[in-house]
């Protein structure tokens, strides 16, 4: 497979000033894509310089991803500078960890605003563009979205209710968008990366002193490039955990068991049947929950 598998394609990458977003931007550019990169900090200018030094084409936009104007501007820049949009990588995210009983409404809103609302706004702007193009041409478009979720959506870490809820929302948004926009050619998937970044500082064990680091962001970027490529045409609506040499394909929630009543549920029967099935040993305990943020 050619190393320039994204030649002629244009990608937007949010949250690309450092960490995983920076690595994704560099990898997409190395694969041939033209880039529009976004962050809240002018540090994306340094990332843009790296891309240009390597022969890539890129434009930057500093802006709040929680604002619709930012999402609209990113799509408009892709069209104006490079003639269209083919790939959207939603990476922007923040954490504001605190136990739920101590969490302020502002801490909740801030995390949901960036992690979930920001992903929705860019998704809405991109899919609106792609739907219009599909209607104009009468054919499906080439369109890829790679969203960033986290295993926190499934584990429910005790000190990050806002983060876990936002990442669960990203999973639901991914699945719904895949089903709703597939007929236009849109393919949408979500990654739960285990990667060593500023956001995960203190979460993982220290980086090994020698040898390969399985939590390096470089282990995540090949999958991002693949999902953005023509080869991934048949992959959509998936949630993929990625780290080291491993990819875990997550399944949708399934029914664990069926419980039935003899007639209509009474309190005593509920306690015997449901309570007996969901014994304390099967309950999620706060100290057992682990956090795997992205």
């Amino acid at each position: 497979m050619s190393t320039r598998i994204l030649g002629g394609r244009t990608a937007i990458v949010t949250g690309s000033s450092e960490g995983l977003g920076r690595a994704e931007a560099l990898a997409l550019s190395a694969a041939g894509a033209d880039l529009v990169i976004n962050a809240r900090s002018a540090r994306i200018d340094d990332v843009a310089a790296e891309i240009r030094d390597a022969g890539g084409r890129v434009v930057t936009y500093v802006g709040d991803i929680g604002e619709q104007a930012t999402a609209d501007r990113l799509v408009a820049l892709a069209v104006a500078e490079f003639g269209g949009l083919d790939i959207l990588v939603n990476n922007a995210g923040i954490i504001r960890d605190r136990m739920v009983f101590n969490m302020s409404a502002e801490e909740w809103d801030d995390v949901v605003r960036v992690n979930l609302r920001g992903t929705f706004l860019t998704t809405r702007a991109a899919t609106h563009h792609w739907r219009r193009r599909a209607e104009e041409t009468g054919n499906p478009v080439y369109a890829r979205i790679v969203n960033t979720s986290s295993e926190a959506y499934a584990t429910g870490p005790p000190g990050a209710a806002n983060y876990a809820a936002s990442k669960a929302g990203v999973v639901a948004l991914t699945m719904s968008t895949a089903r709703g926009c597939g007929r236009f050619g849109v393919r949408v998937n979500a990654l739960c990366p285990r990667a060593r970044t500023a956001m995960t500082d203190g979460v993982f064990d220290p980086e090994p002193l020698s040898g390969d680091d399985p939590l390096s962001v470089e282990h995540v970027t090949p999958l991002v490039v693949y999902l953005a490529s023509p080869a991934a045409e048949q992959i959509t609506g998936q949630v993929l955990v990625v780290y080291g040499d491993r990819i875990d394909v997550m399944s949708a929630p399934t029914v664990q068991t069926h419980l039935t009543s003899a007639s209509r549920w009474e309190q005593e029967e509920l306690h015997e049947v449901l309570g007996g099935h969901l014994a304390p040993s099967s309950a999620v305990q706060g100290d057992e929950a682990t956090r795997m943020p992205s």
Side-chain angles (χ1 to χ4, degrees):
M1 187 178 292
S2 169
T3 58
R4 303 283 291 178
I5 57 176
L6 300 180
R9 306 294 182 188
T10 299
I12 292 170
V13 184
T14 69
S16 51
S17 62
E18 61 183 341
L20 183 59
R22 170 186 170 275
E24 289 168 336
L26 293 171
L28 290 166
S29 178
D34 297 323
L35 291 181
V36 177
I37 60 175
N38 157 260
R40 292 177 298 173
S41 164
R43 284 177 297 175
I44 53 171
D45 291 338
D46 296 333
V47 180
E50 288 186 74
I51 291 170
R52 293 186 184 111
D53 288 345
R57 299 202 303 171
V58 59
V59 294
T60 65
Y61 184 74
V62 177
D64 179 359
I65 203 61
E67 294 288 345
Q68 183 66 60
T70 298
D72 292 340
R73 182 60 178 156
L74 293 175
V75 174
L77 276 171
V79 174
E81 297 290 333
F82 303 118
L85 174 65
D86 306 288
I87 301 156
L88 168 63
V89 178
N90 283 307
N91 177 73
I94 63 171
I95 54 174
R96 297 287 186 272
D97 285 357
R98 201 178 300 277
M99 295 299 289
V100 68
F101 44 79
N102 287 326
M103 185 175 293
S104 69
E106 290 74 19
E107 288 167 331
W108 174 275
D109 290 344
D110 287 348
V111 170
V112 172
R113 184 176 185 276
V114 173
N115 298 2
L116 181 55
R117 174 182 164 88
T119 300
F120 158 69
L121 292 178
T122 54
T123 297
R124 179 169 68 175
T127 54
H128 176 76
H129 167 75
W130 288 324
R131 177 174 177 264
R132 189 174 66 244
R133 279 185 53 205
E135 290 177 343
E136 289 171 352
T137 62
N139 295 303
V141 298
Y142 184 102
R144 305 284 190 268
I145 301 177
V146 180
N147 290 327
T148 307
S149 184
S150 166
E151 290 170 273
Y153 92 89
T155 61
N162 48 4
Y163 184 83
S166 70
K167 293 304 186 178
V170 169
V171 168
L173 174 63
T174 297
M175 297 172 67
S176 180
T177 305
R179 291 172 179 154
C181 298
R183 65 186 185 276
F184 307 127
V186 182
R187 304 293 180 259
V188 194
N189 297 284
L191 300 188
C192 299
R194 293 187 195 175
R196 200 182 304 281
T197 68
M199 282 183 61
T200 60
D201 185 39
V203 173
F204 301 119
D205 291 335
E207 184 176 349
L209 297 177
S210 62
D212 184 50
D213 180 6
L215 299 180
S216 166
V217 293
E218 305 304 327
H219 286 293
V220 178
T221 56
L223 180 56
V224 175
V225 171
Y226 173 70
L227 292 174
S229 76
E233 171 67 21
Q234 301 305 315
I235 303 175
T236 193
Q238 299 297 317
V239 180
L240 307 171
V241 178
V242 55
Y243 58 98
D245 60 359
R246 178 169 169 172
I247 296 173
D248 295 336
V249 181
M250 304 294 283
S251 62
T254 59
V255 176
Q256 183 187 82
T257 190
H258 295 279
L259 304 173
T260 58
S261 169
S263 57
R264 180 179 297 178
W265 289 108
E266 300 291 345
Q267 292 300 306
E268 219 172 279
E269 188 183 21
L270 280 168
H271 181 64
E272 180 182 341
V273 177
L274 180 61
H277 177 71
L278 300 176
S281 60
S282 68
V284 175
Q285 301 298 318
D287 291 343
E288 297 173 359
T290 58
R291 179 171 175 219
M292 294 292 184
S294 58

